[in-house]
Amino acid sequence: MSRLHTTVGAHTDTGRRRSVNEDAYLAQMPVFVVADGMGGHDAGDRASAAVVEVFRSLAGRDEVSVDDVTRAVDAAHSAVGSIAAATSRGAGSTLTAVLAVRHDGELRWLVVNIGDSRVYRLVGDRLEQVTVDHSVAQEMVDAGRLSREEMAAFPGRNVITRAVGEERSAADYWLLPIVTGERLLLCSDGLTTELSDEAIRAGLLMGGAPGRTAQALVSQAVTLGGRDNVTAVVVDVVAGGVSPAAEDVTGGLSLSAESTTIEAATIRTRRSRGRAG
């Protein structure tokens, strides 16, 4: 594989109903992170910032391993746990991240998730949601008691079942091929609460530069309600990945597929089933 070349853009907004932005992000090769803090002013924002700060130690490195990432997840748990212990309300954060890692001699994306921030992947005109929400709403969808389209309006949509800072909240991991021409989106739930999957797909397909695309998606979410902080990181793979025509270039959760998580100890690639759009 030739040297990986990406372009990236990011944007965040406090939204219309919050006074503090508890989202934080990092967008510097080979690590891209979105964290959505919980715990209110001086707790939630500190929690998300602590998550980003831990992963910042991996930014700018030529080589990152799977072990480096799992150690960073453990360190993020510890950092947020210390913040929570020092506040009366507690604190926590989501974590969704995409990192270029060297695995079995090849460069691949390692996707990490705790909570309900998300990673989407656009290859050609096909949009996949790679991550699986750790939320009450997602559990109801899995049980057939709620449709995916109803998630954004569900009263308990903000109730998550895993968070950074909670010792028993394990991360989910996916290992994916890096595809030339693909576009990745990392976002907080402030975006997905306001925008449907099809609206996200349309926004990513507009063809604008990553920075303009991230800003347009966030601005649209704020215009449509802005009920929460909104953050988007958009990553384009310009060169250095496998061909999009190659076999088995997809992976993770298709919008119409059942999820299978990958534990850190047995990370492997897998083929996605189904497609959206």
Side-chain angles (χ1 to χ4, degrees):
M1 182 182 292
S2 59
R3 185 173 180 82
L4 184 63
H5 178 202
T6 63
T7 56
V8 60
H11 192 68
T12 188
D13 194 286
T14 303
R16 292 182 167 183
R17 300 188 183 181
R18 303 293 182 93
S19 59
V20 175
N21 193 342
E22 297 181 67
D23 286 0
Y25 70 85
L26 173 62
Q28 182 181 350
M29 273 292 291
V31 53
F32 310 98
V33 177
V34 168
D36 179 358
M38 296 159 284
H41 179 59
D42 200 35
D45 53 345
R46 289 173 58 210
S48 60
V51 171
V52 165
E53 195 58 34
V54 166
F55 278 85
R56 196 180 304 279
S57 65
L58 303 179
R61 289 175 49 171
D62 291 332
E63 292 283 337
V64 173
S65 69
V66 170
D67 286 342
D68 290 332
V69 179
T70 58
R71 282 193 292 267
V73 171
D74 290 341
H77 273 300
S78 297
V80 176
S82 296
I83 294 170
T87 65
S88 59
R89 296 180 56 185
S93 179
T94 70
L95 162 64
T96 194
V98 179
L99 301 97
V101 301
R102 186 71 60 179
H103 182 70
D104 289 342
E106 293 191 16
L107 204 59
R108 294 184 178 272
W109 291 131
L110 180 61
V111 179
V112 187
N113 188 63
I114 301 174
D116 64 351
S117 296
R118 293 179 180 176
V119 174
Y120 288 90
R121 189 183 197 212
L122 185 75
V123 180
D125 64 354
R126 176 177 51 203
L127 181 70
E128 299 174 315
Q129 182 187 327
V130 179
T131 54
V132 183
D133 294 354
H134 300 136
S135 68
V136 170
Q138 182 64 56
E139 289 181 354
M140 292 181 68
V141 170
D142 293 342
R145 297 165 54 197
L146 190 73
S147 73
R148 183 177 177 84
E149 292 72 26
E150 293 170 330
M151 290 178 74
F154 178 62
R157 65 184 179 277
N158 294 325
V159 180
I160 63 175
T161 55
R162 299 189 204 178
V164 181
E166 293 287 339
E167 292 182 1
R168 290 174 291 181
S169 290
D172 289 340
Y173 298 85
W174 294 262
L175 196 65
L176 309 177
I178 299 174
V179 181
T180 297
E182 71 180 335
R183 169 166 275 192
L184 304 176
L185 169 67
L186 295 79
C187 60
S188 62
D189 70 322
L191 187 79
T192 54
T193 294
E194 308 296 351
L195 299 184
S196 67
D197 295 327
E198 185 53 38
I200 290 171
R201 177 176 173 274
L204 294 174
L205 280 170
M206 290 295 290
R212 291 197 301 272
T213 300
Q215 185 169 7
L217 287 168
V218 170
S219 297
Q220 186 178 1
V222 173
T223 298
L224 289 173
R227 287 171 281 180
D228 201 349
N229 309 143
V230 188
T231 300
V233 174
V234 176
V235 183
D236 286 351
V237 179
V238 178
V242 300
S243 167
E247 183 181 3
D248 198 15
V249 300
T250 60
L253 171 70
S254 167
L255 295 180
S256 60
E258 180 182 354
S259 150
T260 300
T261 59
I262 301 173
E263 297 298 333
T266 57
I267 288 178
R268 62 189 185 278
T269 59
R270 73 178 178 87
R271 188 171 303 202
S272 141
R273 295 161 293 174
R275 56 177 292 171

